[in-house]
Amino acid sequence: MTDMTSSVLAECLRPGDRVLIGQACGEPLGLVADLLAQATRLGNLHVFCGYSLNPAWEGPLPDDLHVTTYCGIGTMGKLLARQGARLVPSSLSQLSAQIRSRKLAVDVVLLQVTPADEEGYHSLGCAVDYAWDAVQVARQVVVEVNLNMPAARGAPRLHCSKVMVARQIDTPLLESLVEEPSAIQLQLARNVASLVPNDATLQLGIGSLASAIAGKLQSRRGLKVRSGMVGDWFLSLVASGAIDTVTPNACMGSLAVGSQRLYKTLSGESLLGFAQPAQLAQPLAASPLMAINSAIEVDLTGQVNAEWLGERYVGAVGGQTDYFRAARASAGGLAILALTSSTARGKSRIVPHCNRVTSTYCDVDVIVTEHGVADIRATTLQERCELIAAIASPDHRDSLLQSRQS
């Protein structure tokens, strides 16, 4: 292990290098600050960064730093909006495969990790994703050791002889706090919860809707988790007794994104373990996978847009398609799309036709709004149209049906 100062980037980066930065809690804030400060001197660097909570990306970027991302949420979304980054539209499974095959080239990886254990291993903590694939193919891995990064159960480990340590810090992990769910979201959550039986496996995202859905599942028992992102909703399910505490590895995630309260529970003994997305997006024996995802809009055939708001990229493919397909391969599983029927301004989120499609009409089993549940399995296009229009806002149902007839 080499302990170095902030000059580590100047020593290990070369002009034209392709740098992959860990996402969420895996993003090393100090190293990113160094990169932004030194980019002009280092020259012509290509950076890939996914979901980020780091406000540093909101400021001006050096001309010699070329940023790409798969993600339109968090601070990367703001960077895309002002054309400071370019988009690589990919699912998480595609990103891992492209990195492993070197189609998406990576020379240097920047990560935030735990302190080394007695055997000299740093854990990736609560951020386990395509960065681990990048570690296997990169020329150099540079880490920032954070005393607050939990040594999470199951997370991959890096031996200190394989990394450069830029610095050790004692900085709280960045939080993503959730607003209280609205009354409409709570009704939507009730409808979703009606589909989830005891002993099911849950895939949820983060945000107020995920929190609302978890809140309506607290009376269930034996629930398992396989989820790319896990928020504070997990703590509420544990506290209510809904989570399976007996089956080994019953609950696994890839990224923890929430409050300090969540992060502090993620020790090696935590009920929540961590694994790469490819290990999670697959059926479990004797436990139906309920893949619950949201979107910006859905059309009357069941096509889903989870990425684009007009011409602005504000979402991501993420794991939606991976988990939907895993759910449909699971005995008794469901690919569930959950969204409020209208925007805050009253615009229908059920539309005649999606111009941009994230998940196809072959990927979705059930669509849920606050007005009800549309089970579109084994339906004709005409039947789908009627079922989906029936769960739209009453203000828009007639016009939606007329749009399909014209």
Side-chain angles (χ1 to χ4, degrees), residues 55 72 90 99 102 107 118 120 123 143 173 180 199 225 248 252 264 266 285 328 382:
S90 292
I99 290 169
R102 303 179 192 268
D107 301 303
E118 293 179 355
S123 168
V143 301
L173 302 182
E180 285 295 316
D199 301 313
V225 173
M252 303 292 290
K264 289 176 181 178
L266 302 178
R328 300 184 80 237
Q382 182 58 37

Side-chain angles (χ1 to χ4, degrees), residues 181-188 190:
S182 67
I184 293 175
Q185 287 177 319
L186 290 172
Q187 180 56 50
L188 168 55
R190 290 187 194 96

Side-chain angles (χ1 to χ4, degrees), residues 75-107:
T75 52
M76 279 294 119
K78 297 177 181 178
L79 192 59
L80 280 171
R82 69 172 202 263
Q83 299 183 330
R86 293 185 176 182
L87 177 68
V88 177
S90 292
S91 68
L92 293 179
S93 63
Q94 288 174 319
L95 285 173
S96 287
Q98 289 161 1
I99 290 169
R100 289 194 304 269
S101 68
R102 303 179 192 268
K103 186 68 175 177
L104 180 57
V106 178
D107 301 303

Side-chain angles (χ1 to χ4, degrees), residues 174-198:
L174 292 181
E175 295 180 296
S176 179
L177 302 180
V178 176
E179 296 180 358
E180 285 295 316
S182 67
I184 293 175
Q185 287 177 319
L186 290 172
Q187 180 56 50
L188 168 55
R190 290 187 194 96
N191 292 341
V192 172
S194 71
L195 302 170
V196 180
N198 290 332

Side-chain angles (χ1 to χ4, degrees), residues 75-160:
T75 52
M76 279 294 119
K78 297 177 181 178
L79 192 59
L80 280 171
R82 69 172 202 263
Q83 299 183 330
R86 293 185 176 182
L87 177 68
V88 177
S90 292
S91 68
L92 293 179
S93 63
Q94 288 174 319
L95 285 173
S96 287
Q98 289 161 1
I99 290 169
R100 289 194 304 269
S101 68
R102 303 179 192 268
K103 186 68 175 177
L104 180 57
V106 178
D107 301 303
V108 178
V109 179
L110 307 183
L111 291 175
Q112 178 166 254
V113 298
T114 71
D117 62 17
E118 293 179 355
E119 298 176 330
Y121 284 94
H122 299 276
S123 168
L124 268 62
C126 57
V128 180
D129 53 18
Y130 55 78
W132 183 244
D133 299 295
V135 164
Q136 312 307 311
V137 299
R139 183 184 75 241
Q140 183 67 63
V141 179
V142 184
V143 301
E144 191 164 86
V145 174
N146 192 335
L147 299 179
N148 293 294
M149 177 68 100
R153 179 172 62 82
R157 302 187 304 163
L158 277 167
H159 195 264
C160 57

Side-chain angles (χ1 to χ4, degrees), residues 125-129 227-230 252-256 273-277 280 323:
C126 57
V128 180
D129 53 18
S227 197
M229 286 187 169
V230 178
M252 303 292 290
S254 290
L255 300 173
F274 287 79
Q276 286 185 274
L280 303 182
Y323 280 101

